[in-house]
């Protein structure tokens, strides 16, 4: 294998190069993209936010970015199913590493995340963030809305995350309430998929409950998302607890009765027309995982988000 190299996370000569690391070895950036803080010429960024102090039940999502990066080693340099292309043949993408947060000063966390996200977005790059618990979506939404205006929120989740919020809480269950109140999302263009818990408010957001996901086809769910968002700039947030605990046991607040990863990946694969301006995958907590089931699901969801981006780019 004379042309093969290893440790693309720091040896890659080009940001668009296909990696050839063996799945069982090599430095673990997300999908072996180069680790760098240099945003010059970069089209897409993967970034980790190792934060879980807002978790209401079991903590551990601060280890999510590490687990998802490690699980992403299963993606070799072949075209990634169902996308029939090397996602990075033309799309220059880096792994920006993690966000530095002070575990003793959580009141500073939202502003730090928002500021660092804004720095990445100012470069014009697409940002895909790996959480961390779902609180992180609040400062991420703020940074994206500052560029694009109020966003259509497409949320895959078992929970609505609309619990009471006084504007100061560090809570992974209230970012949607805050985002509606502060006008960073447009509830009339927003939709939540996989909901199977009750919350005090829905703010007029369209809900597709867990049992409806079971009854609808993937094409029907994708159509509902595309109809609801209506071509508006969208932010895609994927709480891994959208999936049934059988497919994602490694998470903080699992809820039985959810969809399979196959069903939801099929939905994601049909979202090509969605104008995704930013995305995240949150709530992967590897301490409760088994055989990397949840980390692999999270890495695959992230890969699909990049695949959609690469296909949209190629169609331009
Ligand atoms: Mn959530």
């Amino acid at each position: 294998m004379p042309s093969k190299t290893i440790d693309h996370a720091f040896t890659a000569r080009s940001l668009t190069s296909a990696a050839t690391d063996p799945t069982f070895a090599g430095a673990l950036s997300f999908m072996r993209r180069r680790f760098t803080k240099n945003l010059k010429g970069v089209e897409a960024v993967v970034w980790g936010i190792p934060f879980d102090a807002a978790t209401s039940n079991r903590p551990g999502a601060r280890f999510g970015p590490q687990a998802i990066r490690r699980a992403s080693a299963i993606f070799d340099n072949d075209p990634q199913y169902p996308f029939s292309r090397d996602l990075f043949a033309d799309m220059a993408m880096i792994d920006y590493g993690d966000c530095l947060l002070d575990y003793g000063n959580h009141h500073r966390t939202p502003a730090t995340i928002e500021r660092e996200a804004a720095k990445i977005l100012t470069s014009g790059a697409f940002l895909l963030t790996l959480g961390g618990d779902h609180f992180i979506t609040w400062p991420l939404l703020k940074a994206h809305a500052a560029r694009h205006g109020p966003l259509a929120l497409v949320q895959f989740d078992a929970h609505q995350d609309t619990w009471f919020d006084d504007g100061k809480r560090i809570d992974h269950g209230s970012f949607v309430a805050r985002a509606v109140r502060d006008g960073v999302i447009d509830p009339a263009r927003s939709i939540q998929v996989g909901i199977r818990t009750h919350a005090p408010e829905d703010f007029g957001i369209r809900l597709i409950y867990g049992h409806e996901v079971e009854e609808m086809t993937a094409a029907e769910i994708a159509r509902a998302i595309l109809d609801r968002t209506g071509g508006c700039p969208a932010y895609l947030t994927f709480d891994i607890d959208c999936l049934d605990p059988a497919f994602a046991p490694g998470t903080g607040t699992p809820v039985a009765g959810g969809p399979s990863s196959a069903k939801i990946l099929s939905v994601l694969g049909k979202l090509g027309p969605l104008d995704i301006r930013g995305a995240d995958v949150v709530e992967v907590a590897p301490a409760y995982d088994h055989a990397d089931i949840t980390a692999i699901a999270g890495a695959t969801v992230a890969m699909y988000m990049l695949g959609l981006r690469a296909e949209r780019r190629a169609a331009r």
Side-chain angles (χ1 to χ4, degrees), residues 44-64:
V45 170
V46 167
W47 184 42
I49 303 185
F51 172 81
D52 63 12
T55 307
S56 55
N57 190 27
R58 348 188 259 206
R62 69 180 62 185
F63 295 100

Side-chain angles (χ1 to χ4, degrees), residues 142-165:
K142 269 179 90 179
H144 283 81
R147 270 184 88 75
H148 305 296
L151 293 149
L153 182 69
V154 178
Q155 180 177 356
F156 290 83
D157 207 320
H159 314 86
Q160 293 171 258
D161 297 338
T162 56
W163 288 93
F164 168 76
D165 190 272

Side-chain angles (χ1 to χ4, degrees), residues 246-286:
F247 302 93
T251 194
T253 47
V255 185
S260 70
S261 43
K263 178 78 172 269
I264 292 298
L265 289 173
S266 181
V267 174
L268 286 178
K270 297 178 194 325
L271 296 183
L274 189 64
D275 184 9
I276 305 172
R277 301 299 178 95
D280 61 50
V281 181
V282 298
E283 299 282 358
V284 171

Side-chain angles (χ1 to χ4, degrees), residues 43-281:
E43 291 176 55
V45 170
V46 167
W47 184 42
I49 303 185
F51 172 81
D52 63 12
T55 307
S56 55
N57 190 27
R58 348 188 259 206
R62 69 180 62 185
F63 295 100
Q66 283 183 349
I68 294 170
R69 285 191 180 98
R70 187 162 55 79
S72 78
I74 59 167
F75 302 123
D76 56 20
N77 60 318
D78 295 328
Q80 299 302 332
Y81 179 86
F83 308 98
S84 53
R85 64 181 70 246
D86 168 4
L87 304 190
F88 311 115
D90 303 302
M91 185 170 71
M93 188 185 125
I94 61 162
D95 188 325
Y96 194 74
D98 285 343
C99 183
L100 178 62
L101 298 169
D102 180 353
Y103 65 85
N105 274 306
H106 290 310
H107 62 282
R108 292 188 189 148
T109 291
T112 302
I113 294 172
E114 185 181 347
R115 184 184 69 238
E116 294 300 307
K119 198 188 296 178
I120 295 168
L121 295 177
T122 298
S123 75
F126 172 79
L127 174 57
L128 167 60
T129 305
L130 310 176
D133 69 43
H134 220 160
F135 176 78
I136 69 166
T137 302
W138 161 244
L140 290 170
L141 277 172
K142 269 179 90 179
H144 283 81
R147 270 184 88 75
H148 305 296
L151 293 149
L153 182 69
V154 178
Q155 180 177 356
F156 290 83
D157 207 320
H159 314 86
Q160 293 171 258
D161 297 338
T162 56
W163 288 93
F164 168 76
D165 190 272
D166 62 5
K168 295 189 295 245
R169 291 179 64 73
I170 305 289
D171 183 337
H172 75 152
S174 66
F175 80 91
V176 174
R178 202 181 285 193
V180 172
R181 190 194 57 213
D182 286 15
V184 305
I185 66 169
D186 178 358
R189 289 288 179 199
S190 297
I191 183 165
Q192 298 176 321
V193 179
I195 303 301
R196 50 195 187 278
T197 50
H198 289 297
E201 295 275 2
D202 61 24
F203 298 110
I205 294 169
R206 162 115 202 245
L207 304 182
I208 298 181
Y209 286 103
H211 71 273
E212 295 175 298
V213 172
E214 195 65 20
E215 291 153 10
M216 295 166 76
T217 65
E220 286 167 345
I221 297 166
R223 175 45 50 200
I225 293 168
L226 295 173
D227 285 348
R228 183 69 174 178
T229 51
C232 294
Y235 187 91
L236 181 53
T237 183
F238 198 103
D239 188 325
I240 205 71
D241 69 29
C242 174
L243 304 179
D244 189 88
F247 302 93
T251 194
T253 47
V255 185
S260 70
S261 43
K263 178 78 172 269
I264 292 298
L265 289 173
S266 181
V267 174
L268 286 178
K270 297 178 194 325
L271 296 183
L274 189 64
D275 184 9
I276 305 172
R277 301 299 178 95
D280 61 50
V281 181

